[in-house]
Amino acid sequence: MAAVPALARRIVSSGVLPLCRRLPAWGRAIRQPPSFPLAPCRAFSNNKIQVEMNESSGVATMKFKSPPVNSLSLDFLTEFCISLEKLENDRACRGVVITSAIPKIFSSGLDITEMCGKSTEHYAEFWRAVQEIWLRLYSSNMVTLAVINGSSPAGGCLIALSCDYRIMAENPKYTIGLNEAQLGIVAPFWFKDTFVSVVGQRVAERSLQLGSLYPAPEALKFGIVDELVPEEKLQEKAAAVMAQWLALPDHARQITKSMMRKTVLDRLVAHREEDIKNFISFVSKESIQKSLRMYMEMLKKKKS
Amino acid sequence: MAAVPALARRIVSSGVLPLCRRLPAWGRAIRQPPSFPLAPCRAFSNNKIQVEMNESSGVATMKFKSPPVNSLSLDFLTEFCISLEKLENDRACRGVVITSAIPKIFSSGLDITEMCGKSTEHYAEFWRAVQEIWLRLYSSNMVTLAVINGSSPAGGCLIALSCDYRIMAENPKYTIGLNEAQLGIVAPFWFKDTFVSVVGQRVAERSLQLGSLYPAPEALKFGIVDELVPEEKLQEKAAAVMAQWLALPDHARQITKSMMRKTVLDRLVAHREEDIKNFISFVSKESIQKSLRMYMEMLKKKKS
Amino acid sequence: MAAVPALARRIVSSGVLPLCRRLPAWGRAIRQPPSFPLAPCRAFSNNKIQVEMNESSGVATMKFKSPPVNSLSLDFLTEFCISLEKLENDRACRGVVITSAIPKIFSSGLDITEMCGKSTEHYAEFWRAVQEIWLRLYSSNMVTLAVINGSSPAGGCLIALSCDYRIMAENPKYTIGLNEAQLGIVAPFWFKDTFVSVVGQRVAERSLQLGSLYPAPEALKFGIVDELVPEEKLQEKAAAVMAQWLALPDHARQITKSMMRKTVLDRLVAHREEDIKNFISFVSKESIQKSLRMYMEMLKKKKS
């Protein structure tokens, strides 16, 4: 695994929630801005995520481009975190479109190699990065729009669920869902909380128990995504949806979002260390290591 | 602003929840009846709300008739509160239909003049009255039926959401929704809680962030109202729906209602003074005063 | 009333939640297995419930056969509890189909004779058994599938709601719902919690206040059941659905289920004695005794 830059490490472990940073708040305490400075962003690119900023619209586009399947490795999560942080701190940036540059896949979810045969310290660092990206994305001050132009299982689905709105390509070959149970693992409580917020308790309970992956039309039916659009019209639709959201005054929209998501965010913040310990304890079990190894073998054979 | 009668002030600040007052309770403590006496009501009318009581059916009808748009001024809220209280204490009254006597509008929501250029004391009194009407309506022992015969934004929508059932005129020109964010303000947490109870977390999150006003057909689709009826058949339908609800024994229906709504009611009761302080602090900001003045100017120009 | 066997009494009052008993847990403490031994089950039958175990599929079928209407008497509940416990402790049993051997009725709900003219001790014992069956069923480690081949009011509906999945015969003459309010009684908070988990707050609030019994097609529309199937195809469909659920690794599915249902289960566990006291106090009221007697008279006349 490549070394994680020091800044990234610092961001990843800072635990700062960006929401409401620049805002006077009605009905809750104002969260203080983080004290570390970050370079003002205009346009930047890095290894695994391509970020373009449209200065006239105030909308950034983040494209996942980590072949073969945009899996959420520690490196990927670290870049994702830095990119989000830069945009969050850019006053000109009001919204972000999250999509994929890899055909047919949005993101395949957590990188299983990070969970297999590594040290306890590595598991802790990895899990903290997974938590961090969710905390930042779910609490973002920006309008966050997922443009799901490919399949999006497990952690990929979580990224989409954490946005404000989800548009998916109208292609029944693309599937989305929290399918952890199919791999013999359990979605953490905050994956579950995020899912319940979007689809309700009943659909979440059934889908999580069955580890259901839904083809796009079913995903729409169950409310996992908000709209289906032919793939060639995704960009156009994304621009229209973003314009609709940006027509609102940032201030009121941001406080409203914070009010709606506070309970779920607070639950992870309150149990973060415990959640890391649980992950380490779970992933360190020989039975789990064995089934992850078997799963990776299967993936390798599939490829070749 | 007209003087508020002393009795009304007392009611408005009493904070008594009427639900379960006359009832033996299974599974919760009995709330005591208020100690102040109120004249028994049969039929009464006042300035801004017309109340008719049908003694044979046990159903009262409250018609908002405060031109031009039934806005929820302090005077209006005070009358609303007294009227509800009278009906609540009238043993012959088992249900109330809430509707408008003004064409095309149910209620335009909170009266912005009450929030603009007034004293801190005034803001506190106004906000307490808004809280009070919600507490009384949401916890009413009576069957409460909103017959929405016109548009119903913001606070008007809250009144409708607080009833047991909502029938709306089948007219796509009439809209309903909690559109506060469009005005740059934020719906308070108890508006949000009431909304979530009716439409679920996902629809509430999106609608509140976008400040969505839904035409009647969409309001039905998203569950904001329960039924659409051609405007000329609203009365007939209201009578039928009320009869269905009154077919149930009051006792069991009331305790069930209390059980369903207790959590949401308790949250405001526990944070009432804090919520008033937050409102005062918010509305006293120069930026908010400025945008409310601009909004009022716009409304005036629209009229002339 | 027939004497309740000592073992049954012990089970009924043990208050042990079986979920996660045999499982390593990620994110929660492992519940210890109960210390009392139970005979290993393969196939057994008793008075009111017929249990068949298919050893090759790992699926048991429980058929209620307590004429005339499978009412949930103390004897019935005790047998139900013992049967569930046996299956739960049988490592070969991974799923259970719950259905009725009586035509046109799944279960008529709580046996009113147990609530009428009996001693305080009897009411306590009965209510504890009602709680116990819900605790065990709602927290079962097995896949629980309700095959609703007849009407299922009140407590019968609760049994169905507590399963993982509900298939109902496509017959509009069969109805289902928590209709307690129609009898002048109130569904306890944990009936309500279970209902809200399945259909959401709004549908639950309206249905519980009105005591609605829904014909099968409406039950599907409101999400009370998951699927309708022609009566003659129920068995075939049940086998297919069960196979789908059993395709998942037990471990992950069970922990997921526990995570989803924990809050609701914990609420009754924390308030169990209080809930019994409330039931006794409610059912001991002369007004309630009178209306239950009247209801039983009505049922007797209907029969003859």
Side-chain angles (χ1 to χ4, degrees):
Chain A
M1 192 199 78
V4 184
L7 176 63
R9 286 183 186 274
R10 202 169 47 163
I11 293 177
V12 166
S13 59
S14 69
V16 174
L17 296 184
L19 196 58
C20 294
R21 189 175 307 152
R22 302 178 291 226
L23 301 172
W26 176 23
R28 74 196 54 79
I30 302 176
R31 290 205 188 80
Q32 289 305 314
S35 54
F36 53 90
L38 277 166
C41 94
R42 276 304 170 267
F44 53 93
S45 156
N46 40 32
N47 288 326
K48 296 171 187 301
I49 301 173
Q50 187 183 336
V51 182
E52 290 164 7
M53 172 74 192
N54 182 326
E55 306 233 356
S56 69
S57 68
V59 178
T61 302
M62 291 180 97
K63 279 189 183 160
F64 299 158
K65 45 152 199 162
S66 179
V69 289
N70 290 327
S71 67
L72 306 173
S73 64
L74 182 52
D75 282 359
F76 186 99
L77 291 167
T78 304
E79 279 194 28
F80 195 176
C81 197
I82 294 174
S83 301
L84 264 184
E85 181 66 19
K86 280 189 186 167
L87 297 175
E88 201 80 52
N89 282 283
D90 182 349
R91 283 177 157 273
C93 182
R94 300 176 60 215
V96 58
V97 172
I98 298 177
T99 191
S100 167
I102 312 273
K104 298 181 189 168
I105 190 89
F106 179 75
S107 162
S108 65
L110 303 186
D111 187 343
I112 289 173
T113 63
E114 305 282 11
M115 298 159 64
C116 219
K118 298 286 197 300
S119 68
T120 297
E121 290 69 32
H122 184 84
Y123 296 148
E125 188 176 9
F126 175 63
W127 199 246
R128 191 180 295 280
V130 177
Q131 293 176 332
E132 187 67 20
I133 202 66
W134 177 78
L135 287 169
R136 288 181 180 272
L137 190 57
Y138 200 62
S139 70
S140 174
N141 266 326
M142 300 180 284
V143 173
T144 51
L145 173 56
V147 174
I148 309 159
N149 53 349
S151 285
S152 196
C157 178
L158 180 75
I159 301 295
L161 291 171
S162 304
C163 291
D164 292 317
Y165 199 81
R166 284 157 290 285
I167 307 171
M168 190 167 184
E170 199 173 31
N171 185 336
K173 287 187 184 162
Y174 298 163
T175 59
I176 187 169
L178 294 175
N179 63 323
E180 281 79 355
Q182 290 208 355
L183 313 185
I185 60 181
V186 177
F189 72 89
W190 41 285
F191 282 50
K192 179 265 289 178
D193 287 346
T194 310
F195 199 30
V196 167
S197 292
V198 174
V199 299
Q201 177 77 13
R202 172 61 191 147
V203 173
E205 189 186 290
R206 178 152 49 91
S207 304
L208 287 174
Q209 282 199 68
L210 289 171
S212 305
L213 279 178
Y214 296 105
E218 278 192 68
L220 178 68
K221 181 181 147 198
F222 288 115
I224 297 168
V225 300
D226 297 296
E227 266 184 88
L228 297 190
V229 173
E231 193 152 356
E232 67 276 14
K233 298 207 170 163
L234 275 176
Q235 274 205 310
E236 186 187 330
K237 185 70 190 182
V241 165
M242 187 54 90
Q244 184 197 8
W245 283 71
L246 292 182
L248 276 286
D250 284 343
H251 177 90
R253 185 189 51 70
Q254 288 160 342
I255 301 179
T256 302
K257 179 173 176 177
S258 170
M259 174 174 67
M260 297 299 301
R261 298 190 166 190
K262 191 175 186 312
T263 307
V264 167
L265 284 164
D266 286 354
R267 205 171 298 152
L268 178 56
V269 171
H271 298 284
R272 193 163 180 181
E273 299 309 319
E274 191 188 332
D275 185 57
I276 292 172
K277 274 187 205 151
N278 285 330
F279 173 74
I280 295 172
S281 143
F282 174 79
V283 86
S284 304
K285 279 181 214 305
E286 188 41 44
S287 60
I288 299 299
Q289 284 292 314
K290 194 178 158 191
S291 74
L292 292 176
R293 278 194 305 268
M294 282 170 57
Y295 186 69
M296 286 199 299
E297 288 301 316
M298 194 195 73
L299 290 180
K300 274 182 201 165
K301 276 178 197 158
K302 228 175 163 182
K303 258 187 258 176
S304 58
Chain B
M1 192 199 80
V4 184
L7 175 61
R9 286 185 187 274
R10 199 167 50 163
I11 292 177
V12 165
S13 58
S14 68
V16 174
L17 296 183
L19 197 56
C20 295
R21 189 175 306 152
R22 300 178 293 227
L23 302 171
W26 177 21
R28 75 197 52 79
I30 301 176
R31 290 206 188 79
Q32 289 304 315
S35 54
F36 53 90
L38 278 166
C41 92
R42 275 303 169 267
F44 53 94
S45 158
N46 40 32
N47 288 325
K48 295 168 188 303
I49 300 173
Q50 187 182 337
V51 181
E52 289 163 8
M53 174 74 192
N54 182 326
E55 307 233 356
S56 71
S57 67
V59 178
T61 302
M62 290 181 98
K63 280 190 184 161
F64 299 158
K65 47 152 198 164
S66 179
V69 289
N70 290 329
S71 66
L72 305 173
S73 64
L74 183 50
D75 281 359
F76 186 99
L77 291 167
T78 305
E79 279 194 27
F80 195 175
C81 199
I82 294 174
S83 300
L84 265 183
E85 181 68 18
K86 279 189 187 167
L87 297 175
E88 202 80 52
N89 282 283
D90 181 350
R91 286 178 156 272
C93 182
R94 299 176 61 213
V96 59
V97 172
I98 298 178
T99 192
S100 166
I102 312 274
K104 298 180 190 168
I105 191 88
F106 179 74
S107 162
S108 65
L110 301 187
D111 187 342
I112 289 174
T113 62
E114 306 281 12
M115 298 160 65
C116 219
K118 298 286 199 300
S119 68
T120 296
E121 290 69 32
H122 184 84
Y123 296 148
E125 187 176 9
F126 175 62
W127 199 246
R128 191 179 296 279
V130 177
Q131 293 175 332
E132 186 68 21
I133 201 66
W134 177 77
L135 288 170
R136 288 181 180 272
L137 190 56
Y138 200 62
S139 70
S140 174
N141 266 328
M142 298 179 285
V143 173
T144 52
L145 172 56
V147 173
I148 309 160
N149 53 348
S151 286
S152 194
C157 179
L158 180 75
I159 300 294
L161 291 171
S162 306
C163 291
D164 291 317
Y165 200 80
R166 285 158 289 286
I167 307 170
M168 190 167 183
E170 198 172 32
N171 185 337
K173 288 188 184 162
Y174 298 163
T175 60
I176 186 168
L178 293 175
N179 63 324
E180 281 80 354
Q182 289 208 355
L183 313 184
I185 58 181
V186 177
F189 72 90
W190 40 285
F191 281 51
K192 181 264 289 177
D193 287 346
T194 310
F195 199 30
V196 168
S197 292
V198 174
V199 299
Q201 176 78 12
R202 173 60 191 149
V203 172
E205 189 186 290
R206 177 152 48 89
S207 304
L208 286 174
Q209 282 199 69
L210 290 172
S212 306
L213 278 178
Y214 296 104
E218 279 192 67
L220 177 68
K221 181 181 148 199
F222 288 115
I224 298 168
V225 300
D226 296 296
E227 266 186 88
L228 298 190
V229 173
E231 194 153 354
E232 68 275 14
K233 297 207 171 162
L234 276 176
Q235 274 204 310
E236 186 187 328
K237 184 71 190 184
V241 166
M242 187 56 89
Q244 183 197 9
W245 284 71
L246 292 183
L248 276 287
D250 285 343
H251 177 90
R253 186 190 50 71
Q254 288 161 340
I255 301 179
T256 302
K257 180 173 176 176
S258 170
M259 174 174 67
M260 297 299 301
R261 299 192 164 189
K262 190 175 187 316
T263 307
V264 168
L265 284 163
D266 285 354
R267 206 172 297 151
L268 178 56
V269 171
H271 299 284
R272 194 164 180 179
E273 298 309 320
E274 193 187 332
D275 183 58
I276 292 173
K277 274 186 203 152
N278 285 330
F279 173 74
I280 295 172
S281 143
F282 174 79
V283 85
S284 304
K285 280 181 213 307
E286 189 39 46
S287 60
I288 298 299
Q289 283 293 314
K290 195 178 156 189
S291 74
L292 291 177
R293 277 194 305 268
M294 281 170 58
Y295 186 70
M296 285 199 299
E297 287 301 317
M298 195 195 73
L299 290 181
K300 273 182 202 165
K301 278 177 195 158
K302 229 177 164 179
K303 258 187 255 175
S304 59
Chain C
M1 194 200 78
V4 184
L7 175 63
R9 287 184 186 272
R10 200 166 50 162
I11 293 177
V12 166
S13 58
S14 68
V16 174
L17 296 182
L19 196 57
C20 295
R21 190 175 303 152
R22 301 178 291 225
L23 302 171
W26 177 21
R28 75 196 53 80
I30 301 176
R31 291 205 187 79
Q32 291 304 316
S35 54
F36 53 89
L38 278 165
C41 93
R42 273 304 169 268
F44 53 93
S45 159
N46 39 32
N47 289 326
K48 296 170 187 302
I49 300 174
Q50 185 182 338
V51 182
E52 290 164 6
M53 173 75 191
N54 181 327
E55 306 232 355
S56 70
S57 67
V59 178
T61 301
M62 290 180 98
K63 279 190 185 161
F64 299 158
K65 46 152 199 164
S66 179
V69 289
N70 289 328
S71 66
L72 305 173
S73 64
L74 183 51
D75 282 357
F76 186 99
L77 291 167
T78 304
E79 279 194 27
F80 195 175
C81 198
I82 293 174
S83 300
L84 263 184
E85 181 67 18
K86 279 187 189 171
L87 296 175
E88 202 79 54
N89 283 283
D90 182 350
R91 285 178 155 273
C93 183
R94 300 177 59 215
V96 59
V97 172
I98 298 177
T99 192
S100 167
I102 311 273
K104 299 181 189 170
I105 190 88
F106 179 73
S107 162
S108 65
L110 302 186
D111 187 341
I112 289 174
T113 62
E114 304 282 12
M115 300 159 63
C116 220
K118 298 285 198 302
S119 68
T120 296
E121 291 69 33
H122 184 84
Y123 296 148
E125 186 176 11
F126 176 62
W127 199 245
R128 190 179 297 278
V130 177
Q131 293 175 331
E132 186 68 21
I133 202 66
W134 176 78
L135 287 169
R136 288 181 180 272
L137 189 57
Y138 199 63
S139 71
S140 173
N141 265 328
M142 299 179 284
V143 173
T144 51
L145 172 56
V147 173
I148 309 160
N149 53 348
S151 285
S152 195
C157 179
L158 181 76
I159 300 295
L161 291 170
S162 305
C163 290
D164 291 317
Y165 199 80
R166 285 159 288 287
I167 307 170
M168 191 167 182
E170 199 172 33
N171 185 336
K173 287 187 185 163
Y174 298 164
T175 60
I176 187 169
L178 294 175
N179 62 323
E180 281 80 353
Q182 289 207 357
L183 313 185
I185 60 181
V186 177
F189 73 89
W190 41 284
F191 282 50
K192 180 264 289 178
D193 287 346
T194 309
F195 199 30
V196 168
S197 292
V198 173
V199 298
Q201 177 77 14
R202 172 60 191 148
V203 173
E205 189 187 289
R206 178 153 48 91
S207 304
L208 286 174
Q209 283 198 68
L210 289 172
S212 304
L213 278 179
Y214 295 105
E218 280 193 67
L220 178 67
K221 181 180 148 199
F222 288 114
I224 298 168
V225 300
D226 296 296
E227 267 185 88
L228 297 190
V229 173
E231 193 152 356
E232 67 276 14
K233 297 207 170 162
L234 276 176
Q235 273 205 310
E236 187 187 329
K237 184 70 190 182
V241 166
M242 186 55 90
Q244 184 197 11
W245 284 71
L246 291 183
L248 276 287
D250 285 342
H251 177 90
R253 185 189 52 69
Q254 288 161 340
I255 300 179
T256 302
K257 179 173 176 176
S258 171
M259 175 175 66
M260 296 300 301
R261 299 192 165 189
K262 190 176 186 314
T263 307
V264 167
L265 284 164
D266 285 353
R267 205 171 299 150
L268 178 57
V269 171
H271 299 284
R272 192 163 181 180
E273 299 308 319
E274 193 187 330
D275 184 59
I276 293 172
K277 273 186 204 152
N278 285 329
F279 173 75
I280 295 172
S281 143
F282 174 78
V283 85
S284 304
K285 280 182 213 305
E286 188 40 45
S287 60
I288 298 300
Q289 284 293 313
K290 193 179 157 190
S291 73
L292 292 176
R293 278 194 305 267
M294 280 169 59
Y295 186 71
M296 286 200 298
E297 287 301 317
M298 195 196 72
L299 290 180
K300 273 183 201 164
K301 277 178 196 158
K302 229 175 162 181
K303 258 186 256 175
S304 59

